[in-house]
Amino acid sequence: MRKTASRIGEKYGVSAYVIKHLLKLLGHLDGRVGEYNLTSKGEEHCSKGVGWAEKPNSPIYEYDLWDDETQNEIDDMIENDSSILDRAKEELREERRLKKQEEEENDPFKDLLEGNNDENDSEDDDYEIETSNNIDALKYGLIAAAVFGSFLYVRKCIKDKKIFNPFSRKNKKNEKK
């Protein structure tokens, strides 16, 4: 019966990542964590399954199903070397650490975030001055819009007779009588 790496891992109390690492050691997979590819040997012993979550609009995903022969290879590997699972876990940790370090080193925004972009310093200074001017203009624009909006609101309230209009001509005529 074919099983996923997760189901095989349940037998030994380890994650699918550890089982995939063992499959890599056996020559069924190539690559690194999260980016494994089937080798020609792996293609002979693996078939693809399709699944989806029971939630609305859940994505469809593919998973690998490993045959009994591959499962027996893993069983034999673990029986012959009881420390293989611990070593696999440690190798995975190291591989993940290296992958994370490599991603951080190749991050195109790292220099911008850390401010290590020396070649564009003069352009950055000009940009900061321009941005500062734009922010000031935006502030004054917002203030002007707020004052104008307040004027329109008061005018509407006077027109709807919600507030008293001290400049009304009718009021002055009534006072003279």
Side-chain angles (χ1 to χ4, degrees):
M1 185 167 127
R2 293 182 175 269
K3 292 183 182 177
T4 63
S6 298
R7 295 284 182 228
I8 297 169
E10 286 176 359
K11 180 178 178 180
Y12 299 104
V14 295
S15 69
Y17 294 108
V18 175
I19 298 300
K20 287 183 178 184
H21 188 73
L22 295 178
L23 289 166
K24 179 181 173 183
L25 295 175
L26 291 169
H28 293 284
L29 294 175
D30 189 28
R32 61 184 186 178
V33 178
E35 300 170 1
Y36 289 121
N37 299 309
L38 288 171
T39 63
S40 56
K41 181 180 178 183
E43 288 175 357
E44 295 173 17
H45 301 283
C46 181
S47 63
K48 295 285 183 183
V50 177
W52 60 91
E54 295 296 325
K55 300 175 187 172
N57 301 324
S58 64
I60 296 173
Y61 57 90
E62 278 191 343
Y63 54 88
D64 296 332
L65 291 168
W66 298 95
D67 63 11
D68 292 333
E69 189 177 322
T70 304
Q71 294 175 53
N72 292 338
E73 281 184 69
I74 293 171
D75 292 340
D76 291 342
M77 181 185 229
I78 293 171
E79 285 176 18
N80 293 334
D81 186 3
S82 60
S83 65
I84 190 76
L85 292 175
D86 292 331
R87 285 200 320 269
K89 289 177 189 177
E90 187 58 40
E91 289 171 5
L92 274 172
R93 275 189 221 106
E94 182 63 19
E95 195 173 315
R96 285 183 180 135
R97 187 189 65 75
L98 291 173
K99 182 179 178 183
K100 184 178 178 182
Q101 181 181 359
E102 183 180 308
E103 288 172 352
E104 288 174 357
E105 288 173 358
N106 294 330
D107 184 4
F109 300 106
K110 181 181 179 185
D111 288 339
L112 294 174
L113 292 173
E114 294 177 355
N116 294 337
N117 198 355
D118 294 336
E119 61 193 37
N120 294 328
D121 277 350
S122 63
E123 291 177 17
D124 289 345
D125 292 342
D126 293 341
Y127 178 75
E128 287 176 15
I129 292 170
E130 186 178 316
T131 303
S132 173
N133 291 341
N134 289 342
I135 290 173
D136 288 342
L138 182 64
K139 286 178 188 175
Y140 294 128
L142 287 173
I143 291 169
V147 168
F148 185 69
S150 299
F151 168 75
L152 292 177
Y153 178 75
V154 169
R155 184 173 166 216
K156 182 179 181 334
C157 289
I158 290 173
K159 185 177 179 182
D160 294 343
K161 297 183 180 181
K162 292 181 180 176
I163 59 174
F164 174 72
N165 183 358
F167 304 106
S168 170
R169 290 183 193 154
K170 287 181 183 178
N171 293 339
K172 291 183 180 180
K173 289 180 182 178
N174 290 337
E175 288 176 7
K176 290 181 182 178
K177 292 182 180 181

